[in-house]
Amino acid sequence: VDYLMIAGFRMRYSNTSAQQYRGAAMSLEGSHCLVEKVDISYTDYRGITVNGSNHMVVNSTFNHNGNSGMGGKGWGHNIINCETSYNNYRYWDPYWAAGGMKIIPSAHNWVVSGHVAAHNRGIGIWFDERCSGVLIQNSVAHNNDLTGIEYEVSERGIIVNNIAYDNRGHGIFVSDCSDTLV
């Protein structure tokens, strides 16, 4: 679906694993969709998956989910003033994919701005494998069990004007990346 707007939506206790292994309560495909003031919490796996191209997710929360608040890939997405906190209550392996948000693979030209990722059992904000042109700015990552913000096996990332504190791992970690600015 293209050019869809979902606003003011609230979902609790979604059991996506009964229908699809590792599914999300909400999954965006297509292009140019707007998700605004959405709150998806207490799912068994992931709150939202953002695929396709040029979607905007604004002023939304994806907290207390079984694995992660957000996942995705694709082109040109904007994640603005959102929150992914208290995720991975089902104790998935946090070195594989669990925590606030895990964006993998091939995420290009994403903007994450004003994001809060806190108290996750894993990494707060994580872009991994063949990502490029990612901007993470004006965000806060704290009290996560691993790294606050991680950018790995990617290129041309800009991680600027963020606050990362009281994470059990690194505040900001860049691994195997080229042309990346912190």
Side-chain angles (χ1 to χ4, degrees):
V1 175
D2 298 333
Y3 299 98
L4 175 70
M5 178 180 175
I6 301 170
F9 180 76
R10 185 176 185 185
M11 181 187 297
R12 295 285 185 272
Y13 308 109
S14 172
N15 185 5
T16 58
S17 294
Q19 301 298 318
Q20 175 186 9
Y21 179 65
R22 296 190 309 216
M26 178 183 284
S27 184
L28 294 178
E29 302 290 337
S31 67
H32 298 92
C33 294
L34 171 63
V35 172
E36 184 174 14
K37 295 182 182 173
V38 166
D39 178 7
I40 299 176
S41 298
Y42 299 101
T43 70
D44 67 331
Y45 190 74
R46 181 180 295 140
I48 187 171
T49 296
V50 182
N51 293 330
S53 65
N54 301 302
H55 298 307
M56 288 193 72
V57 181
V58 182
N59 299 322
S60 296
T61 57
F62 307 97
N63 299 334
H64 301 282
N65 294 292
N67 175 274
S68 57
M70 180 181 291
K73 59 185 177 183
W75 296 82
H77 303 309
N78 291 283
I79 311 300
I80 311 296
N81 298 327
C82 292
E83 180 178 357
T84 53
S85 296
Y86 299 97
N87 291 295
N88 196 19
Y89 71 79
R90 294 183 73 191
Y91 294 97
W92 288 77
D93 181 356
Y95 294 99
W96 173 69
M101 64 182 340
K102 171 88 184 254
I103 309 303
I104 184 173
S106 302
H108 305 288
N109 302 323
W110 281 51
V111 173
V112 175
S113 183
H115 193 84
V116 175
H119 301 281
N120 292 292
R121 291 185 179 130
I123 295 170
I125 300 170
W126 188 2
F127 281 82
D128 186 8
E129 194 179 339
R130 298 186 317 271
C131 300
S132 65
V134 173
L135 171 62
I136 303 168
Q137 68 178 3
N138 305 323
S139 297
V140 179
H142 67 90
N143 297 99
N144 295 292
D145 282 359
L146 296 175
T147 301
I149 299 171
E150 187 161 333
Y151 195 69
E152 69 174 324
V153 193
S154 296
E155 62 184 13
R156 294 181 292 122
I158 299 174
I159 302 167
V160 62
N161 200 35
N162 299 287
I163 299 171
Y165 65 93
D166 286 342
N167 296 289
R168 290 190 182 159
H170 302 282
I172 297 173
F173 184 60
V174 176
S175 174
D176 297 320
C177 293
S178 63
D179 303 311
T180 295
L181 172 69
V182 177

